[in-house]
Structure formats: structure tokens, C-alpha cells
Amino acid sequence: MEPVLIVHGGAGNIRDSRVLNKVEGVKIAVIRGYEILNRGGSALEAVEEAVRILEDDECMNAGKGSVLNSDGEVEMDASIMDGRTLDAGAVAAVKDIAHPVTLARLVMEDTPHVLLAGPGARRFARKVNMPILAPGSLVTKDAEDALENFRTYGGIQCEIGEIENFGEVGTVGAVAMDSRGHLAAATSTGGINGKMPGRVGDSPLIGGGTFADDEIGAVSTTGHGESIQKFCVAHSIIKSMEKGLDPQEATDTVLAKMNERLKNTAGAITISKTGEVGIGMTTKRMSWAYRKGDKLIFGINKGCQQTEILEE
Ligand code: GLY
Ligand code: GLY
């Protein structure tokens, strides 16, 4: 089967000055992740690699460049799921780890658990010899400025709010189908700017931020974590596809219902078991890109997309 890889770099009211970097970031991640699929690698490896690249990208709200909690610290959430087996791994409220998605994969592969949080996740990271960075290593100037704005203007400022948003940079995620028809999904985030220490969003929750099942499809979400959790967005999209909706219809329908019911915004990328693509957002922008064969298709403004033909 022809492999497919889709990535997102977060939904929101993305500032014009960030548009180019955000689009460039998702294109690079999708091209590098797809090389793995082209070499016959698995969907799981491809989504992990794409998310690792986005975690290194300071324009994204994941890994380096994550938004800060109210103590001024980076606390991150991530998850990964293998559609072949429904195996899943996740970490929540982890600090000083460059690649939370890889720690999530190790939770999946090396523990009997799905989700490790806080100090326990850190102990596990040490046990598997994952480097623990010096405190503050993942903090960027942009994230500090965003927290300063949050403190100045006060209130619970969701990074994807429709009002001027301080520190919106975008949760990241990827979904893929490999040449054997297997699916995988992964998501990683710094959460929301100015959050309470210990706050956990949707991204590490299987069925909230991430889901993959070879028999139906795979989804990764971005947006207001509290709303996405309550609406079980990733799993709701999967269930809608199970009932016969195509991935685009399923994505649009669930996001619109969440937006109507909870008055908050979200975006999602979805792939079906046959490699059809769904990309949806209730925000004005979400950076995304996907590759299928020699076509690289990408966009950031709602309703707009561009296509490039890649040379082999
Ligand atoms: N919480 C905002 C986002 O997922 O982009
Ligand atoms: N969607 C990411 C978060 O709210 O943490």
C-alpha cells in the first residue's frame, strides 16, 4: 500500500509573523518522517520521528519552545499508539526531557502501564537512560514573554483563544499508515500557557488526544485540552468512522459538535485504514502537512492548501 504521513503543528489564532515558520516546520517533519515509510519502516517509527522533529522546533509548543506553567516551568505531556495491537504509552507533566514522545514509546514498550506522570515518569526516564536536561533547558524567550503577558493580563488564557493569545505556538502530532497498512498516532505538547503546575491536558490521553486502530483509523488532536478530554475527541472521530463517515466528515463533525457544546476550539488530523486523509479545525489556523507518494500537501489557513510534487 502507498504509505501516508500527516502531521500538525497546532491549531489556534496563529500570529501572521509565525505562519512561515510553522508551515516550514510541519513540511520538514513530514518529509523526514516519510523517509522512514519509504524505506519500509513502520507507521510507529514514522510518527515518533515526525513528532521528535517538531519537539526540537522552537516554533512549536512541544519539547523545546513549550509554553510555561504559572511557576515558569516547562511541563509536558505526550502519547503514542500502535494501531496493530492497540498498545499505547504516554507521559504527563514531565520536565527536562527533550523528547517526551520517545519516553511515551518506552512506557508502551517497556512497562505494563499506559501512562506515567510526574516524578514516576522521571524515574522511569532515568532507568531507561534518557538524558535529564538541566532545569530551564527547554525554556525559550518567546515562552517567557508569553508567560509575562499572561501574568500581566491575568485570567485563564487558553493558548488557542480567539482573543489575543499569549504564547500560542501549537501542540504537535502525527498519524501514519505504513506500506503494510498498519496505523499509528502520536501527540506531544507543553499544554497551555500559565497553566497550574500539575495540569494535564488531552495530549497524553488515549482517546482524547491520540488514538490508532488498524481496523478503523488514527487521530491526533490539538486545541483546548479540557474540552477535548470531555469530548473524547480522538475516540469520537474513530467511532464516527466506524459508523461509516469518511475521515474528513468524521473530523469535521466531531470538532463542530465539540465547539458547539463546549464553546472551545480544536483541530485534528485523521487517517482511515485505507489511507484517506481528514484535516479539520474550528480555529482560523492550524499548520499541517501530509505526504502520499510524491505529493506534499500542506496548509495553515482554514480551507486553503498547497501541493508540491517532490522529486524521488
Ligand atoms: N492547547 C493548545 C493546543 O493544543 O494547541
Ligand atoms: N491540547 C493540548 C493541551 O491542551 O494541553
Side-chain angles (χ1 to χ4, degrees):
M1 294 174 98
E2 184 153 68
V4 186
L5 174 64
I6 320 174
V7 307
H8 71 75
N13 195 8
I14 297 162
R15 273 181 265 154
D16 291 345
S17 59
R18 286 224 164 112
V19 164
L20 274 180
N21 286 339
K22 299 272 292 182
V23 171
E24 206 45 39
V26 289
K27 283 169 74 177
I28 290 169
V30 94
I31 288 170
R32 300 242 316 258
Y34 202 85
E35 284 166 9
I36 292 175
L37 297 174
N38 259 346
R39 288 198 300 266
S42 69
L44 194 67
E45 288 170 83
V47 295
E48 182 190 358
E49 179 62 13
V51 169
R52 282 174 63 94
I53 291 164
L54 295 166
E55 287 174 336
D56 284 337
D57 184 338
E58 292 189 21
C59 296
M60 307 288 172
N61 176 17
K64 180 113 188 188
S66 286
V67 296
L68 307 180
N69 68 16
S70 59
D71 287 345
E73 291 181 327
V74 166
E75 261 186 358
M76 301 163 291
D77 301 333
S79 61
I80 192 162
M81 187 164 186
D82 185 344
R84 282 177 312 167
T85 52
L86 304 185
D87 283 348
V91 291
V94 292
K95 297 178 187 172
D96 309 323
I97 302 278
H99 293 296
V101 71
T102 295
L103 191 58
R105 182 167 173 186
L106 290 166
V107 170
M108 173 172 91
E109 290 176 346
D110 292 356
T111 81
H113 306 305
V114 168
L115 172 58
L116 290 181
R122 190 181 183 91
R123 262 167 66 182
F124 174 66
R126 283 217 169 87
K127 188 174 157 214
V128 294
N129 296 321
M130 183 164 282
I132 308 285
L133 307 173
S137 304
L138 300 171
V139 175
T140 59
K141 171 85 172 56
D142 267 1
E144 283 176 336
D145 290 348
L147 183 64
E148 195 49 44
N149 279 331
F150 175 86
R151 286 182 174 144
T152 306
Y153 295 97
I156 296 295
Q157 175 61 55
C158 169
E159 69 170 296
I160 53 144
E162 290 305 323
I163 44 177
E164 183 57 34
N165 46 358
F166 309 123
E168 187 289 318
V169 272
T171 292
V172 307
V175 296
M177 184 182 78
D178 62 32
S179 56
R180 290 170 293 280
H182 296 307
L183 304 181
T187 311
S188 183
T189 191
I192 57 177
N193 187 27
K195 66 187 180 180
M196 290 171 68
R199 177 268 189 190
V200 173
D202 59 300
S203 305
L205 302 183
I206 299 306
T210 300
F211 205 83
D213 181 350
D214 273 10
E215 294 183 7
I216 307 169
V219 181
S220 168
T221 71
T222 161
H224 184 244
E226 282 69 11
S227 303
I228 296 171
Q229 290 178 40
K230 289 184 244 181
F231 226 72
C232 302
V233 167
H235 199 250
S236 297
I237 293 173
I238 293 286
K239 282 287 150 193
S240 299
M241 284 199 283
E242 195 175 30
K243 286 188 194 137
L245 268 58
D246 71 36
Q248 190 62 55
E249 290 166 339
T251 305
D252 288 341
T253 306
V254 171
L255 292 175
K257 277 192 195 153
M258 189 207 94
N259 183 239
E260 187 190 328
R261 192 76 204 280
L262 298 173
K263 313 292 179 225
N264 272 308
T265 50
I269 52 172
T270 307
I271 191 168
S272 72
K273 66 178 179 188
T274 54
E276 293 169 287
V277 169
I279 290 159
M281 67 200 85
T282 65
T283 46
K284 103 178 166 179
R285 286 180 169 151
M286 175 177 83
S287 59
W288 59 270
Y290 77 87
R291 182 165 174 196
K292 198 175 196 171
D294 64 355
K295 281 203 188 67
L296 175 69
I297 303 175
F298 57 94
I300 188 161
N301 292 319
K302 191 174 178 141
C304 300
Q305 66 175 49
Q306 292 181 61
T307 304
E308 279 174 19
I309 306 296
L310 298 167
E311 316 241 324
E312 284 306 316

